């Protein structure tokens, strides 16, 4: 009987021991779970580090862009000054172009009528002074008038065309044969200064160089010179610039 009880007790003990062992995981089951959790944490940390690096890069790029951005004028006066500065050379070039066009037209008309009418023949003489134009460019009075109006505008035209050198006979251009010398001391345009600018009008001061009064006109090197100033104005009419104020420098 005691032997049976002992055997039964031993069996119960073994069963309990097996149950207890089956209820708790062993080391082989615990380690994979731990490794999995560690891998997840490492991936999370890596992602956070990458996000931080990207954020820092974005901040640096934004700062660089802001530093390179040009400064914008905050007032209309500053914007106007910047515009004048940016386009100053263009405006001066425009003034010089119109200045030389004015000299060419005005000079041809005032100094030598042959430059307009060619070598005229006395066979066409009318009114004792006027001869028919022999120019292929200026055969009619309208041709000359259009030529002058292509550069000049306003009152200045009257001082050019109504100088008793040209007449209109039945539409044909007649001219007086007349030549006069120009001021040999005129050396050319030294500088064109911008005085004022609007969208319709630009005023300049033309600084013109001359040989000094006591300098010989034949001087070639190291000549004594002087600067004279004349006002020069161009105005915009029908989307085109015309000369409205001009003084022929070599009269």
């Amino acid at each position: 009987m005691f032997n049976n009880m002992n055997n039964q007790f031993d069996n119960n003990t073994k069963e309990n021991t097996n149950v207890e062992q089956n209820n708790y995981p062993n080391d082989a089951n615990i380690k994979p779970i731990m490794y999995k959790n560690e891998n997840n944490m490492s991936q999370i940390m890596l992602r956070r580090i990458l996000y931080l690096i990207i954020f820092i890069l974005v901040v640096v790029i934004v700062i660089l862009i802001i530093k390179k951005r040009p400064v914008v004028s905050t007032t209309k006066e500053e914007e106007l000054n910047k515009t004048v500065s940016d386009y100053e050379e263009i405006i001066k070039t425009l003034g010089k172009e119109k200045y030389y066009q004015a000299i060419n037209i005005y000079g041809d008309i005032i100094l030598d009528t042959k430059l307009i009418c060619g070598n005229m023949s006395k066979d066409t003489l009318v009114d004792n002074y006027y001869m028919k134009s022999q120019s292929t460019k200026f055969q009619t009075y309208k041709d000359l008038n259009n030529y002058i109006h292509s550069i000049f505008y306003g009152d200045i035209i009257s001082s050019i065309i109504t100088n008793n050198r040209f007449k209109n006979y039945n539409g044909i251009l007649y001219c007086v044969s007349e030549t006069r010398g120009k001021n040999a001391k005129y050396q050319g345009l030294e500088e064109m200064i911008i005085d004022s600018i609007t969208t319709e009008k630009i005023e300049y001061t033309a600084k013109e160089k001359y040989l000094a009064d006591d300098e010989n006109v034949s001087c070639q090197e190291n000549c004594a010179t002087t600067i004279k100033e004349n006002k020069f104005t161009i105005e915009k009419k029908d989307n085109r610039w015309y000369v409205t104020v001009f003084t022929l420098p070599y009269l």
Side-chain angles (χ1 to χ4, degrees):
M1 184 174 118
F2 286 110
N3 289 332
N4 291 333
M5 292 180 62
N6 287 331
N7 291 332
Q8 187 177 359
F9 178 79
D10 290 337
N11 290 332
N12 290 336
T13 302
K14 290 179 179 179
E15 289 177 0
N16 291 335
T17 301
N18 290 333
V19 170
E20 291 177 359
Q21 289 178 349
N22 292 332
N23 289 337
Y24 295 96
N26 54 26
D27 289 343
N29 293 329
I30 292 174
K31 288 181 179 180
I33 296 173
M34 292 178 63
Y35 292 153
K36 184 176 180 180
N37 292 336
E38 289 175 358
N39 289 335
N40 290 339
M41 290 300 295
S42 297
Q43 291 177 1
I44 292 171
M45 290 301 295
L46 181 59
R47 282 198 297 269
R48 289 180 179 177
I49 292 172
L50 288 175
Y51 292 154
L52 179 60
I53 292 173
I54 293 172
F55 175 76
I56 293 173
L57 288 175
V58 170
V59 171
V60 170
I61 292 172
V62 170
I63 291 173
L64 290 175
I65 292 174
I66 292 174
K67 284 186 176 181
K68 289 185 178 181
R69 184 179 298 172
V71 178
V72 179
S73 299
T74 55
T75 67
K76 291 186 178 296
E77 183 178 354
E78 289 173 341
E79 291 176 359
L80 178 60
N81 289 337
K82 186 175 185 301
T83 300
V84 171
S85 176
D86 289 344
Y87 294 98
E88 182 175 4
E89 289 306 315
I90 296 175
I91 294 170
K92 284 185 177 181
T93 299
L94 173 64
K96 290 177 182 178
E97 176 185 333
K98 294 299 179 182
Y99 174 87
Y100 288 119
Q101 287 177 348
I103 280 184
N104 289 338
I105 294 179
Y106 208 151
D108 287 353
I109 292 173
I110 296 297
L111 296 181
D112 190 351
T113 54
K114 289 182 180 179
L115 297 172
I116 298 296
C117 301
N119 293 315
M120 295 163 284
S121 171
K122 289 185 178 181
D123 294 339
T124 61
L125 188 67
V126 296
D127 291 348
N128 297 323
Y129 296 103
Y130 297 94
M131 292 173 280
K132 185 178 180 181
S133 172
Q134 300 300 310
S135 170
T136 57
K137 183 177 180 180
F138 304 107
Q139 293 185 341
T140 68
Y141 189 86
K142 184 178 181 180
D143 291 336
L144 178 59
N145 195 52
N146 289 342
Y147 177 58
I148 294 171
H149 279 80
S150 68
I151 298 299
F152 296 96
Y153 185 91
D155 295 338
I156 191 173
I157 293 177
S158 299
S159 66
I160 300 173
I161 196 67
T162 59
N163 51 25
N164 296 323
R165 288 180 174 84
F166 309 97
K167 273 194 180 291
N168 181 10
Y169 283 96
N170 299 320
I172 304 301
L173 177 63
Y174 279 76
C175 319
V176 172
S177 180
E178 182 175 296
T179 302
R180 59 189 292 189
K182 67 178 182 179
N183 186 348
K185 290 194 172 184
Y186 172 71
Q187 300 294 294
L189 179 67
E190 183 72 8
E191 189 178 3
M192 187 71 80
I193 304 298
I194 301 171
D195 294 332
S196 65
I197 302 173
T198 69
T199 57
E200 303 296 330
K201 185 177 183 179
I202 306 175
E203 295 178 314
Y204 304 86
T205 294
K207 301 183 73 172
E208 297 154 335
K209 185 166 70 173
Y210 292 80
L211 292 174
D213 291 340
D214 56 352
E215 184 63 85
N216 194 303
V217 294
S218 61
C219 178
Q220 298 293 323
E221 296 182 358
N222 301 319
C223 306
T225 60
T226 186
I227 297 295
K228 296 181 180 180
E229 296 182 354
N230 279 311
K231 294 302 178 181
F232 181 73
T233 302
I234 60 176
E235 296 186 41
K236 196 172 187 180
K237 307 291 182 182
D238 298 325
N239 207 33
R240 181 171 178 173
W241 290 99
Y242 295 90
V243 176
T244 56
V245 175
F246 172 71
T247 301
L248 188 65
Y250 43 62
L251 285 182

